[in-house]
Amino acid sequence: MSFPLLTATAAVPAIGAIVTAAVPAARRTAAKWLALFFSLVTLVLAVLIGVRFAPGGDRYQLTESHSWIADFGVRYELGVDGIGVALIGLTALLIPFVLLAGWHDADPQETGSKRWRPTQGFFALILMVEAMVILSFEATDVFLFYILFEAMLIPMYFLIGGFGDRAHAGSDEKAAAQRSYAAVKFLLYNLVGGLIMLAAVIGLYVVAGNFSLQEIAAARASGELQMATSTERWLFLGFFFAFAVKAPLWPLHTWLPNAMGEATAPVAVLITAVVDKVGTFAMLRFCLQLFPEASKWATPAILVLALISIVYGALLAVGQRDIKRLVAYASISHFGFIIMGIFAMTSQGQSGATLYMVNHGVSTAALMLVAGFLISRRGSRLIADYGGVQKVAPVLAGTFLVGSLATLSLPGLAPFVSEFLVLVGTFARYPAIGIIATFGIVLAALYSLVLYQRTMTGPVKPEVSAMPDLKVRELVVVAPLIALLIFLGVYPKPVTDLVNPAVGHTLSDVHEKDPKPEVEAAK
Amino acid sequence: MENLIALLVAAPLLGAAVLLCGGRRLDRTGHWIGTLLAVASFAVGVLLFTDMLGKDAEHRALHQALFSWIPVEGFQADVAFQLDQLSMTFVLLITGVGSLIHIYSIGYMEHDERRRRFFGYLNLFLAAMLLLVIADNYLLLYVGWEGVGLASYLLIGFWQHKPSAATAAKKAFLVNRVGDMGLSIAIMLMFTTFGTFAFGPVLESVGDTGEGKLTAIGLMLLLAACGKSAQVPLQSWLGDAMEGPTPVSALIHAATMVTAGVYLITRSGAIFNAAPDAQLAVVIVGAVTLIFGAIVGCAKDDIKKALAGSTMSQIGYMILAAGLGPIGYAFAIMHLVTHGFFKAGLFLGAGSVMHGMNDEVDMRKYGGLRKYMPVTFVTFGLGYLAIIGFPGLSGFWSKDKIIEAAFAYDDGIRGWIFGGVALLGAGITAFYMTRVMIMTFFGEKRWQPDESGNEPHPHESPKSMTIPMIVLAFGSVFAGGLFSLNESFVKWLEPVTQFEHPHPVISVPAITASTVVVLLLGAGLAYLMYGRKPVPVTAPRGSLLTRAARRDLLQDDFNHVVLVRGGEHLTRSLVYVDHTVVDGVVNGTAAGFGGLSGRLRKLQNGFARSYAVSMFGGTAILIAATLLMRAV
């Protein structure tokens, strides 16, 4: 038996979480370095997955399979396709930056916190989330995936509710109440989605007799496993609802601004750049593969919801007064693009959507983490409390601008490639929807540049006049992310090469072919 | 030879990277690095140009493929360059004028503590603009297209501490984004129609599709051109863009970037040739803008804004010519090049005046400056004669040809209309430019000490500033004539743009004669109004038209009321709706299932933890039960 690379990649951060949590209370710094060490080992393993994975080879590679709950046919079954590899890479890459950015976020406050070893807990929880997210990108057993999908809510809940942003208006009690509200809202939304999915998972078992994604998909493709149209549709809806809450898709999005606003910036990145990707990833992997006909049946409605997300999210971002909530609504708009790309059912749309997941992760991390550095300096999340930062902290302002430009999908930076692919892929099949979605690029420029203008330009506000520029630790976080945004904008081929074959498989699952160009079709 | 093409972009790009990431230690040498790399790019351009001249006309185009950019099933976008006569013309203009303006900025920005960054942005602009004109496909062109938008954004807002500069920068980017929508949609249409968006394959297979598709593509390209080239209805950003340092106005907002729309239309000539309706739209936009810009130019007292109106108007001429098809493309580009010389020269002259006048921009506070700044006066004066089309100077050769071509639009009424508009524009040009000339350099001095008692002491600018002005003045005087010898410019471009001789509705000598008459009328009227009696220091109230023109013919007011105010109301009400209705409905629906909202309300009373724990307990029990089933 070969080395279980996939299990190892998820196990390392899980072990790291336990080890970090076990570090004695006084050795806070040691715990931080330990956590960072484990996250870097995970990154090495993720890179190894990328090296070992052969694009154009079998659909699922590096597979592992063990019996788990034999009576239900539940198996511990892992395997990755190119999409999984890309997203594992994104997760493993972002976590070290999240840890570094949050280096002091959980230090005990001067007032004396009574929390039980908060620092160790903070770092351990982040690693725990990483482990579960990575494993969920690897799981090819539906039940195993469901367990992970639900279980990752637990550490996320504590991260949001237990470690809030210290920059808040009003009293500590009020802030704590808001934080609890945000954490519970996050939990309830996702649990409700998860419970509906559980029903669908059980339903799937009743119909198919096992939980293996590969077996069910093969049986569906060969015609061995027939489903009544209505059954397929109900099951699809059950799965899709859970993923749409997590993604999040309009109108199920309202938990995200609360969660991202109240959490610390690194945790906000964890939510939107990493955890939410499980939702869109699962749409591609489970909805389209298991329920191809129902997916096509639901496509028009989903495209309309995605389009609403794009425009609505962007308009709300324009209207925000809180920096972090603005980024949250921008993300809602971007998730609209991802979902639109998936359901456009074209190679460009789905490759673009996958690439979008990666690029959105990097660009949001860059923007949000710099925003976090900014907020921690001034102690306020309100846009109106800033002004003229560019003059006193030019490097901070410069990196913030690059993050904003990535958010508005400037050509030359990574998000442009994916956004254009999604637009062109959608336009090829649904011209009207593609054209309306292009309004998103104007609105994105509006909210990004307005944010930059109000915080960074103009006369220097007295409260920011003594603001220090980025420290070395902060530069170490931001510079690689910016380098990556430029690299993937100029040379996205390494990622597209990974993703293209997987997208080809998915399209053949749903029996769709790309529309031919008019000139070629005429010949 | 073709391997050198990438160097054109690489040199200034390297400069931008070094200057912007290099930090303070480069503060003392940064401007030299930036200038050197701009000149290096120009040298590569000249080398490629001489090589190109050595080949026969049909075999001059070079191609360089670097790497596959976005390889996705059915979608191929490459980083590849194409250098033909049209691109070459732009390369020389961009790097040539660009280098001059780098040199000028060394002196102009001497006292700015952020001079290094300024040169970094200028280099970034050169790289992006060169990429725009040498890309071999529309998507890579798009990268350059937005790249120049970014450079323009950064440079307009260079003095970010001024709220007006920051607002102007944002406005320019946003208005351009509206145009970018057009470019995006055009590329998407090309992709679904032709399966590609590389220039060669698209332009060759134009005949394989219907006119409807081509018209749609053409109109979308026109929308893009309107944004970048400040044409009606997307012209509103250009006047505000004058908030940037004056060398920026010269390079980006007069000589090069704003002409990108003309390049786009000329490059896509095959599409427009096959879509007469789109062509008509192009001509109408050009005709409307050339009058619009000229009227605005007549009313402005700010010297830079008057020149900005003029830029808009002159680009209107180019767009109009580009819409005329093979009878106009070559003249559009020729006017673009000569305009690049004289408008850059005029802006640099304006900058020189401001430099000597404590950054005063109001022409009503100038007067009689010819005595204090002789070099500026002479170079500006030659630029003035060139732009109004004084016989023999550059503008005469290029603008006259456009007027002729406009009269040749068709045999009927349209030829008369468009020709007449172009002719009328020439008259207004002579009027507003004579007004600028008189108010700045003639008459009595009108400046006074400001509140703190500082009186400007106008003086000639340093050599680093005057030499570029002199070089550009040479171009303003001789370029047009040189290009027209043996129709050399037209023949140079013909392999790319095609050429047909225009057949105007009236004879060519008659057109030339009327152009000169109109010119004299415009200039004479300006002399009567501003040269014969002293110019008041505070502007008179003016007629309704003057007052509207001062406010850019009320477009900003319209935008403010409809887009800004309307948008604010929309987003505010949406924020409210999201908080109450969407959130409420979803929570409420869920409450129907599980009493969710009641529990949510309890949270406020501090039940959060206990509630969460109970939820986890539930999940844990669920998992435990499942595991237990296995044992049974």
Coordinates of all heavy atoms in Angstrom, one line a residue, chain B residues 29-95:
Chain B
T29 N 17.9 59.0 -7.4 CA 18.2 58.5 -8.8 C 17.0 58.1 -9.6 O 17.1 58.0 -10.8 CB 19.2 57.3 -8.8 OG1 18.6 56.4 -7.9 CG2 20.5 57.8 -8.3
G30 N 15.8 58.0 -8.9 CA 14.7 57.4 -9.6 C 14.3 58.0 -10.9 O 14.0 57.3 -11.9
H31 N 14.3 59.4 -10.9 CA 13.8 60.0 -12.2 C 14.8 59.7 -13.3 O 14.3 59.7 -14.5 CB 13.7 61.5 -12.0 CG 14.9 62.2 -11.3 ND1 15.1 62.0 -9.9 CD2 15.8 62.9 -11.7 CE1 16.2 62.7 -9.6 NE2 16.7 63.2 -10.7
W32 N 16.1 59.5 -13.0 CA 17.0 59.2 -14.1 C 16.7 57.8 -14.6 O 16.8 57.5 -15.8 CB 18.4 59.3 -13.6 CG 18.8 60.8 -13.4 CD1 19.1 61.3 -12.2 CD2 18.9 61.8 -14.4 NE1 19.3 62.7 -12.4 CE2 19.2 63.0 -13.7 CE3 18.7 61.9 -15.8 CZ2 19.4 64.2 -14.4 CZ3 18.8 63.1 -16.4 CH2 19.1 64.2 -15.7
I33 N 16.5 56.8 -13.7 CA 16.2 55.5 -14.1 C 15.0 55.4 -15.0 O 15.0 54.8 -16.1 CB 16.0 54.6 -12.8 CG1 17.2 54.5 -12.0 CG2 15.5 53.2 -13.2 CD1 17.0 53.8 -10.6
G34 N 13.9 56.1 -14.5 CA 12.7 56.1 -15.3 C 12.9 56.7 -16.7 O 12.4 56.2 -17.7
T35 N 13.6 57.8 -16.8 CA 13.8 58.5 -18.1 C 14.7 57.6 -19.0 O 14.4 57.4 -20.2 CB 14.5 59.8 -17.8 OG1 13.8 60.6 -16.9 CG2 14.6 60.6 -19.1
L36 N 15.7 57.0 -18.4 CA 16.6 56.2 -19.2 C 15.8 55.0 -19.8 O 16.0 54.7 -21.0 CB 17.7 55.6 -18.2 CG 18.9 55.0 -18.9 CD1 19.7 56.1 -19.5 CD2 19.7 54.2 -18.0
L37 N 15.0 54.4 -19.0 CA 14.2 53.2 -19.5 C 13.2 53.6 -20.6 O 13.0 52.9 -21.5 CB 13.6 52.5 -18.4 CG 14.6 51.7 -17.6 CD1 14.1 51.2 -16.3 CD2 15.1 50.4 -18.4
A38 N 12.6 54.8 -20.4 CA 11.7 55.3 -21.5 C 12.5 55.6 -22.8 O 12.1 55.2 -23.9 CB 11.1 56.6 -21.0
V39 N 13.7 56.2 -22.6 CA 14.5 56.4 -23.8 C 15.0 55.1 -24.4 O 15.0 54.9 -25.7 CB 15.7 57.3 -23.5 CG1 16.6 57.4 -24.7 CG2 15.2 58.7 -23.0
A40 N 15.3 54.1 -23.6 CA 15.7 52.8 -24.1 C 14.6 52.2 -24.9 O 14.8 51.6 -26.0 CB 16.0 51.9 -22.9
S41 N 13.3 52.3 -24.5 CA 12.2 51.8 -25.2 C 12.1 52.5 -26.6 O 11.8 51.9 -27.6 CB 10.9 51.9 -24.4 OG 9.9 51.3 -25.0
F42 N 12.3 53.8 -26.5 CA 12.3 54.6 -27.8 C 13.4 54.1 -28.7 O 13.1 53.9 -29.9 CB 12.5 56.1 -27.5 CG 12.5 56.9 -28.7 CD1 11.4 57.0 -29.6 CD2 13.6 57.7 -29.0 CE1 11.5 57.8 -30.7 CE2 13.7 58.5 -30.1 CZ 12.6 58.6 -31.0
A43 N 14.6 53.8 -28.2 CA 15.7 53.3 -29.0 C 15.3 52.0 -29.7 O 15.5 51.8 -30.9 CB 16.9 53.2 -28.2
V44 N 14.7 51.1 -28.9 CA 14.3 49.8 -29.5 C 13.3 50.1 -30.6 O 13.3 49.5 -31.7 CB 13.7 48.9 -28.4 CG1 13.1 47.6 -29.0 CG2 14.7 48.6 -27.4
G45 N 12.4 51.0 -30.4 CA 11.4 51.4 -31.4 C 12.0 51.9 -32.7 O 11.6 51.4 -33.8
V46 N 13.0 52.7 -32.5 CA 13.6 53.3 -33.7 C 14.4 52.2 -34.5 O 14.3 52.1 -35.7 CB 14.6 54.4 -33.3 CG1 15.5 54.8 -34.5 CG2 13.9 55.6 -32.8
L47 N 15.0 51.3 -33.7 CA 15.7 50.1 -34.3 C 14.8 49.3 -35.1 O 15.0 49.0 -36.3 CB 16.4 49.3 -33.2 CG 17.4 48.3 -33.6 CD1 18.6 49.0 -34.2 CD2 17.8 47.4 -32.5
L48 N 13.6 49.0 -34.5 CA 12.6 48.2 -35.2 C 12.1 48.9 -36.5 O 11.8 48.3 -37.5 CB 11.5 47.8 -34.3 CG 11.8 46.7 -33.2 CD1 10.8 46.8 -32.1 CD2 11.8 45.3 -33.9
F49 N 11.9 50.2 -36.3 CA 11.4 51.0 -37.4 C 12.4 51.0 -38.6 O 11.9 50.8 -39.7 CB 11.2 52.5 -36.9 CG 10.7 53.4 -37.9 CD1 9.5 53.2 -38.6 CD2 11.4 54.5 -38.3 CE1 9.0 54.1 -39.6 CE2 11.0 55.4 -39.2 CZ 9.8 55.2 -39.9
T50 N 13.6 51.2 -38.3 CA 14.6 51.3 -39.5 C 14.6 49.9 -40.1 O 14.7 49.8 -41.4 CB 16.0 51.6 -39.0 OG1 16.3 50.9 -37.8 CG2 16.1 53.1 -38.7
D51 N 14.5 48.8 -39.3 CA 14.5 47.5 -39.9 C 13.3 47.3 -40.8 O 13.4 46.8 -41.9 CB 14.5 46.5 -38.8 CG 14.5 45.1 -39.3 OD1 15.4 44.7 -40.0 OD2 13.4 44.4 -39.1
M52 N 12.2 47.9 -40.3 CA 10.9 47.7 -41.0 C 11.0 48.5 -42.4 O 10.5 48.0 -43.4 CB 9.8 48.3 -40.2 CG 8.4 47.9 -40.6 SD 7.2 48.6 -39.5 CE 6.9 47.2 -38.4
L53 N 11.6 49.6 -42.4 CA 11.7 50.4 -43.6 C 12.5 49.7 -44.6 O 12.3 49.9 -45.8 CB 12.4 51.8 -43.3 CG 11.5 52.8 -42.6 CD1 12.3 54.1 -42.4 CD2 10.3 53.1 -43.4
G54 N 13.4 48.8 -44.2 CA 14.3 48.1 -45.1 C 13.5 47.0 -45.9 O 14.0 46.5 -46.9
K55 N 12.3 46.7 -45.5 CA 11.6 45.6 -46.1 C 10.5 46.2 -47.1 O 10.1 47.4 -46.9 CB 10.9 44.7 -45.1 CG 11.9 44.0 -44.2 CD 11.1 43.2 -43.2 CE 12.0 42.7 -42.1 NZ 11.2 42.2 -41.0
D56 N 10.0 45.4 -48.0 CA 8.9 46.0 -48.8 C 7.6 46.0 -48.1 O 7.4 45.2 -47.1 CB 8.8 45.2 -50.1 CG 8.6 43.7 -49.9 OD1 9.4 43.1 -49.2 OD2 7.5 43.2 -50.4
A57 N 6.7 46.8 -48.5 CA 5.5 47.2 -47.8 C 4.7 46.1 -47.3 O 4.2 46.1 -46.2 CB 4.7 48.2 -48.6
E58 N 4.6 45.0 -48.1 CA 3.7 43.9 -47.7 C 4.3 43.0 -46.7 O 3.6 42.2 -46.1 CB 3.3 43.1 -49.0 CG 2.5 43.9 -50.0 CD 1.2 44.4 -49.5 OE1 0.6 43.7 -48.7 OE2 0.8 45.6 -49.9
H59 N 5.6 43.1 -46.4 CA 6.2 42.1 -45.5 C 6.8 42.7 -44.3 O 7.8 42.3 -43.8 CB 7.3 41.3 -46.3 CG 6.7 40.5 -47.4 ND1 6.8 41.0 -48.7 CD2 6.1 39.3 -47.5 CE1 6.2 40.1 -49.5 NE2 5.8 39.1 -48.8
R60 N 6.2 43.8 -43.9 CA 6.8 44.5 -42.8 C 6.3 44.1 -41.4 O 6.9 44.3 -40.4 CB 6.5 46.0 -42.9 CG 7.4 46.7 -43.9 CD 7.1 48.1 -44.2 NE 8.1 48.7 -45.0 CZ 7.9 49.9 -45.7 NH1 6.8 50.5 -45.6 NH2 8.9 50.4 -46.4
A61 N 5.1 43.4 -41.4 CA 4.6 43.1 -40.0 C 5.4 42.0 -39.4 O 5.8 41.0 -40.0 CB 3.1 42.6 -40.2
L62 N 5.7 42.2 -38.1 CA 6.4 41.2 -37.3 C 5.5 40.6 -36.3 O 4.5 41.2 -35.8 CB 7.6 41.9 -36.6 CG 8.7 42.5 -37.4 CD1 9.7 43.2 -36.5 CD2 9.4 41.4 -38.2
H63 N 5.8 39.4 -35.8 CA 5.0 38.7 -34.8 C 5.9 38.0 -33.9 O 6.9 37.4 -34.2 CB 4.1 37.7 -35.5 CG 3.0 37.2 -34.6 ND1 3.2 36.0 -33.9 CD2 1.8 37.7 -34.3 CE1 2.1 35.8 -33.2 NE2 1.2 36.8 -33.4
Q64 N 5.5 38.1 -32.6 CA 6.3 37.5 -31.5 C 5.4 36.8 -30.6 O 4.6 37.5 -29.9 CB 7.2 38.4 -30.8 CG 8.0 37.8 -29.7 CD 8.8 38.8 -28.8 OE1 8.5 40.0 -28.8 NE2 9.8 38.3 -28.1
A65 N 5.4 35.5 -30.5 CA 4.6 34.8 -29.5 C 5.4 34.5 -28.3 O 6.5 33.9 -28.4 CB 4.1 33.5 -30.1
L66 N 4.9 34.9 -27.1 CA 5.7 34.6 -25.9 C 5.2 33.3 -25.2 O 6.0 32.4 -25.0 CB 5.5 35.8 -24.9 CG 6.5 37.0 -25.2 CD1 6.4 38.0 -24.0 CD2 7.9 36.6 -25.4
F67 N 4.0 33.3 -24.7 CA 3.5 32.1 -24.1 C 2.0 32.1 -24.1 O 1.3 33.0 -24.4 CB 4.0 32.0 -22.6 CG 3.7 33.2 -21.7 CD1 2.5 33.2 -21.0 CD2 4.6 34.3 -21.6 CE1 2.2 34.3 -20.2 CE2 4.2 35.3 -20.8 CZ 3.1 35.3 -20.1
S68 N 1.5 30.8 -23.8 CA 0.0 30.7 -23.7 C -0.5 31.2 -22.4 O 0.0 30.9 -21.4 CB -0.3 29.2 -23.8 OG -1.6 29.0 -23.6
W69 N -1.4 32.1 -22.5 CA -1.8 32.9 -21.3 C -3.0 32.2 -20.6 O -2.8 31.8 -19.4 CB -2.2 34.3 -21.8 CG -2.7 35.2 -20.7 CD1 -2.4 35.2 -19.3 CD2 -3.6 36.3 -20.8 NE1 -3.0 36.2 -18.7 CE2 -3.8 36.9 -19.5 CE3 -4.3 36.9 -21.9 CZ2 -4.6 38.0 -19.3 CZ3 -5.1 38.0 -21.7 CH2 -5.2 38.6 -20.4
I70 N -4.1 32.1 -21.2 CA -5.3 31.4 -20.6 C -5.7 30.2 -21.4 O -6.6 30.4 -22.3 CB -6.5 32.4 -20.4 CG1 -6.0 33.7 -19.8 CG2 -7.5 31.8 -19.5 CD1 -7.1 34.7 -19.7
P71 N -5.1 29.1 -21.2 CA -5.5 27.9 -22.0 C -6.7 27.2 -21.4 O -6.5 26.6 -20.3 CB -4.3 27.0 -22.1 CG -3.5 27.4 -20.9 CD -4.0 28.7 -20.3
V72 N -7.9 27.3 -21.9 CA -9.0 26.6 -21.4 C -9.7 26.0 -22.6 O -9.6 26.6 -23.7 CB -10.0 27.6 -20.7 CG1 -11.4 26.9 -20.5 CG2 -9.4 28.0 -19.3
E73 N -10.3 24.8 -22.5 CA -11.0 24.2 -23.6 C -11.8 25.1 -24.4 O -12.7 25.8 -24.0 CB -11.9 23.1 -23.0 CG -12.6 22.2 -24.0 CD -11.7 21.3 -24.7 OE1 -10.7 20.8 -24.1 OE2 -11.9 21.1 -25.9
G74 N -11.5 25.2 -25.7 CA -12.2 26.0 -26.7 C -11.9 27.5 -26.6 O -12.5 28.3 -27.2
F75 N -10.9 27.9 -25.7 CA -10.7 29.3 -25.5 C -9.2 29.4 -25.5 O -8.5 28.8 -24.7 CB -11.3 29.6 -24.1 CG -11.1 31.1 -23.7 CD1 -12.2 32.0 -23.9 CD2 -10.0 31.5 -23.1 CE1 -12.1 33.3 -23.5 CE2 -9.9 32.9 -22.7 CZ -10.9 33.7 -22.9
Q76 N -8.7 30.2 -26.4 CA -7.2 30.4 -26.4 C -6.8 31.8 -26.4 O -7.1 32.6 -27.3 CB -6.7 29.7 -27.7 CG -5.2 29.6 -27.8 CD -4.6 28.7 -26.7 OE1 -5.2 27.7 -26.4 NE2 -3.5 29.1 -26.2
A77 N -6.2 32.2 -25.3 CA -5.7 33.6 -25.2 C -4.1 33.5 -25.0 O -3.7 32.8 -24.1 CB -6.3 34.3 -24.1
D78 N -3.4 34.2 -25.9 CA -2.0 34.1 -25.8 C -1.4 35.5 -25.5 O -2.0 36.5 -25.8 CB -1.4 33.6 -27.1 CG -1.7 32.2 -27.4 OD1 -2.0 31.5 -26.4 OD2 -1.8 31.8 -28.6
V79 N -0.2 35.4 -24.9 CA 0.6 36.7 -24.8 C 1.5 36.7 -26.1 O 2.5 36.0 -26.1 CB 1.4 36.7 -23.5 CG1 2.3 37.9 -23.5 CG2 0.5 36.7 -22.3
A80 N 1.0 37.4 -27.1 CA 1.7 37.4 -28.3 C 1.6 38.9 -28.9 O 0.6 39.5 -28.7 CB 1.2 36.4 -29.3
F81 N 2.7 39.3 -29.6 CA 2.7 40.7 -30.1 C 2.7 40.7 -31.6 O 3.2 39.8 -32.2 CB 4.0 41.3 -29.5 CG 4.1 41.3 -28.1 CD1 5.3 40.9 -27.4 CD2 3.0 41.7 -27.3 CE1 5.4 40.9 -26.1 CE2 3.1 41.7 -25.9 CZ 4.3 41.3 -25.3
Q82 N 2.2 41.8 -32.1 CA 2.2 42.0 -33.5 C 2.6 43.4 -33.8 O 2.1 44.4 -33.2 CB 0.7 41.8 -34.0 CG 0.4 42.4 -35.4 CD -1.0 42.3 -35.7 OE1 -1.6 41.2 -35.5 NE2 -1.6 43.3 -36.2
L83 N 3.6 43.6 -34.6 CA 4.1 44.9 -34.9 C 4.0 45.2 -36.4 O 4.8 44.7 -37.1 CB 5.5 45.1 -34.4 CG 6.1 46.5 -34.4 CD1 5.5 47.3 -33.3 CD2 7.6 46.5 -34.2
D84 N 2.9 45.9 -36.8 CA 2.8 46.2 -38.2 C 2.9 47.8 -38.3 O 3.3 48.4 -37.3 CB 1.5 45.7 -38.8 CG 0.3 46.3 -38.0 OD1 0.5 47.2 -37.1 OD2 -0.8 45.8 -38.3
Q85 N 2.7 48.3 -39.4 CA 2.9 49.7 -39.6 C 2.0 50.6 -38.7 O 2.5 51.6 -38.2 CB 2.6 50.1 -41.1 CG 3.6 49.6 -42.1 CD 3.2 48.2 -42.6 OE1 2.6 47.4 -41.9 NE2 3.6 47.9 -43.8
L86 N 0.8 50.1 -38.4 CA -0.1 50.9 -37.5 C 0.5 50.9 -36.1 O 0.6 52.0 -35.5 CB -1.5 50.3 -37.6 CG -2.5 51.0 -36.7 CD1 -2.7 52.4 -37.1 CD2 -3.9 50.2 -36.8
S87 N 0.9 49.7 -35.6 CA 1.4 49.6 -34.3 C 2.7 50.4 -34.2 O 3.0 51.1 -33.2 CB 1.7 48.2 -33.9 OG 0.5 47.4 -34.0
M88 N 3.5 50.3 -35.2 CA 4.8 51.0 -35.3 C 4.6 52.5 -35.1 O 5.4 53.2 -34.4 CB 5.5 50.7 -36.6 CG 7.0 51.1 -36.6 SD 8.0 49.9 -35.6 CE 8.7 51.1 -34.5
T89 N 3.7 53.0 -35.8 CA 3.4 54.5 -35.7 C 3.1 54.9 -34.3 O 3.7 55.9 -33.8 CB 2.2 54.8 -36.6 OG1 2.4 54.3 -37.9 CG2 2.0 56.3 -36.7
F90 N 2.3 54.1 -33.6 CA 2.0 54.4 -32.2 C 3.2 54.2 -31.3 O 3.4 55.0 -30.4 CB 0.8 53.5 -31.7 CG -0.5 54.0 -32.0 CD1 -1.1 53.8 -33.2 CD2 -1.2 54.8 -31.1 CE1 -2.4 54.3 -33.5 CE2 -2.4 55.3 -31.3 CZ -3.0 55.1 -32.6
V91 N 4.0 53.1 -31.6 CA 5.1 52.9 -30.7 C 6.0 54.1 -30.8 O 6.5 54.6 -29.7 CB 5.9 51.6 -31.2 CG1 7.3 51.6 -30.6 CG2 5.1 50.4 -30.8
L92 N 6.3 54.6 -32.0 CA 7.2 55.8 -32.1 C 6.6 57.0 -31.4 O 7.3 57.8 -30.7 CB 7.5 56.1 -33.5 CG 8.4 55.0 -34.2 CD1 8.6 55.4 -35.7 CD2 9.7 54.9 -33.5
L93 N 5.3 57.2 -31.6 CA 4.7 58.4 -30.9 C 4.7 58.3 -29.4 O 5.1 59.2 -28.7 CB 3.2 58.5 -31.4 CG 2.4 59.6 -30.7 CD1 2.8 61.0 -31.3 CD2 0.9 59.4 -30.9
I94 N 4.4 57.1 -28.9 CA 4.3 56.9 -27.5 C 5.6 57.0 -26.8 O 5.8 57.7 -25.8 CB 3.7 55.5 -27.1 CG1 2.2 55.4 -27.6 CG2 3.8 55.2 -25.6 CD1 1.8 54.0 -27.8
T95 N 6.6 56.3 -27.4 CA 7.9 56.3 -26.7 C 8.6 57.7 -27.0 O 9.3 58.2 -26.1 CB 8.8 55.2 -27.2 OG1 8.9 55.2 -28.6 CG2 8.3 53.8 -26.8

